[in-house]
Amino acid sequence: MQTIDSLAPLTRAQHSMWKGHHYHGSYPFHTAEWLVIEGPLNRELFQQAVELTLKEAKALHWRAVEQDGKAYRVDDVDLRPAQCVDLSHLDEQGILDWADQAVEPPFDLSEGHLYDYVFAHLAEQKYGLFFRAHHVALDGYAYGLMISRFLDYYQSLKNTAPLKNKAFDHFDKFLADEQRYLQSPKAEQDLQFWRENFSNELAPKKRLKRKLKQPFYQGPRYEDVIDWETQQQMNQLAAELKLPSAMVVMAVMMSYLVKQSGDEKQCFGVPMMSRLGTASMRIPCLVMNILPLRLAGNGQENLPETVQLLAQRFNEIRPHQQSYFEQMRHVLDGFDPYENILFGPIVNWIPYPLPEQFEGCRLTKTTISAGPIEDFDIAITNKFVDGIERLYLAVDGHKELYDVQALGEYWHDFMRMLRLWLQQPELRCSELSIEKKLPD
């Protein structure tokens, strides 16, 4: 049994979510994925696989305690029980509406209620798993680890075969990695980089939308696959530049959003893995860090130059990605952390596709909630479609500002600009236009 003297502190990322939970409530920090499995699934074995994975994921089984104004972790929480529902009477939209409602119940960090999982009967050859967690426990990469482990355990149980991957590492290994970094000279060197490049006249100027009742909240999402012709054009350009195709989408999206704001110095939020070289590559937990990045073009760049400029910006900030954004807010000169925010919108790329098929079954994943939204965020995801890796583009919006229909209109407005630039890559950014303006 742990005592106060032996309690582990929360990581920087966990502390940020714990603090946000206390300021804004639980709901903005809920995340959820909806899995649909079609085919001859052995449901009993799949349930066992999920529960074995959850038991192995130690970062899901703790509660937060506060002592002398600081938050600590107590690892004494048992596996939560599964829930089972029959949704066979609902159509596809009815199921998504059910999932939206299932996201809402609050989590209790002090009790260690960090996640829930619901098995759903959909049809004779169709099964669902609704898996939600507080962002303090899991990030997007961690969800991928968990789902991959579900499949690994299932295949092992079904075929009486060894697991393909090693067990998850214990969360304490990542905590030790983080503490070593914080006590190293590199931590201060990284903060100095951010001071030099994002202070005073270079400080981010974006302000919170004060008219909103809830400045950080959940919101609707519009997501669709990028059409194959456009995908092929991006693949060709990306191959010429020796960069991922998703970098093309990100660069054009940032250019589109700069046109929306009229601010060439706009700071975007770019989630960084921060896992490479650490134990967290095999730990499902919250590690993700969001850093400010300026595209900072002058409008005279053509498409290849714009994509290369974004790659250059990533190369500039990547060596300093272990500086955590919450700390950064309080060390930049000329930046008011209570009136301004470091970045926005967030432009995220999730590059790790899940398998489309396993053991004769088809797997489809839908993100129901990705966490708090300040205004308008972007997610680009690699997914397999009929055996081919494709890019999906999602736009998330604050529910007080957008509905799904409006987000769809922005999605198509952006795609119009992307297709035109791919067809005429010699055009300068200043020669392109937007047709639907974001709200002020």
Side-chain angles (χ1 to χ4, degrees), residues 89-108:
H89 60 288
L90 297 177
D91 61 14
E92 185 172 344
Q93 185 56 52
I95 290 172
L96 292 177
D97 291 343
W98 170 86
D100 283 338
Q101 293 178 1
V103 169
E104 296 181 2
F107 290 110
D108 188 336

Side-chain angles (χ1 to χ4, degrees), residues 184-205:
S184 72
K186 181 72 163 59
E188 180 54 37
Q189 293 165 9
D190 288 342
L191 279 178
Q192 187 58 30
F193 166 84
W194 297 105
R195 289 192 193 99
E196 291 173 356
N197 290 277
F198 290 86
S199 288
N200 299 317
E201 69 274 6
L202 296 175
K205 302 297 192 294

Side-chain angles (χ1 to χ4, degrees), residues 36-51 84-88 119-129 154 157-158 358 361:
V36 174
I37 302 168
E38 298 175 88
L41 182 75
N42 184 319
R43 299 184 180 192
E44 183 178 349
L45 289 185
F46 183 70
Q47 291 180 14
Q48 290 180 35
V50 170
E51 293 182 358
C84 297
V85 296
D86 186 340
L87 303 180
S88 59
F119 297 108
H121 170 71
L122 304 177
E124 185 176 344
Q125 292 278 303
K126 196 172 184 180
Y127 199 51
L129 172 64
Y154 178 78
L157 292 169
K158 185 173 184 294
F358 74 100
C361 298

Side-chain angles (χ1 to χ4, degrees), residues 21 36 102 106-107 137 139 160 183 193 209 249 275 277 280 329 359 362 374 391 409 414 418 431:
H21 177 108
V36 174
F107 290 110
D139 58 21
T160 319
Q183 295 165 17
F193 166 84
K209 286 181 163 58
V249 186
R275 291 178 182 263
S280 62
R329 291 173 58 236
E359 297 297 327
R362 181 181 180 89
E374 183 267 329
L391 288 177
E409 291 169 359
F414 164 76
L418 173 63
E431 298 177 281

Side-chain angles (χ1 to χ4, degrees), residues 348-367:
N348 191 13
W349 175 35
I350 303 109
Y352 304 103
L354 292 168
E356 187 181 21
Q357 305 281 342
F358 74 100
E359 297 297 327
C361 298
R362 181 181 180 89
L363 173 67
T364 306
K365 179 179 77 72
T366 301
T367 297

Side-chain angles (χ1 to χ4, degrees), residues 274-325:
S274 303
R275 291 178 182 263
L276 296 176
T278 75
S280 62
M281 287 297 295
R282 283 298 296 166
I283 303 173
C285 62
L286 173 65
V287 178
M288 181 196 67
N289 191 14
I290 305 175
L291 297 178
L293 178 147
R294 283 191 173 97
L295 186 60
N298 58 23
Q300 301 307 301
E301 296 87 1
N302 62 27
L303 178 55
E305 291 168 342
T306 301
V307 180
Q308 290 173 316
L309 179 60
L310 177 58
Q312 175 188 331
R313 299 302 184 220
F314 270 108
N315 289 338
E316 291 168 357
I317 70 171
R318 190 174 286 111
H320 311 284
Q321 65 178 294
Q322 287 181 284
S323 288
Y324 196 64
F325 74 92

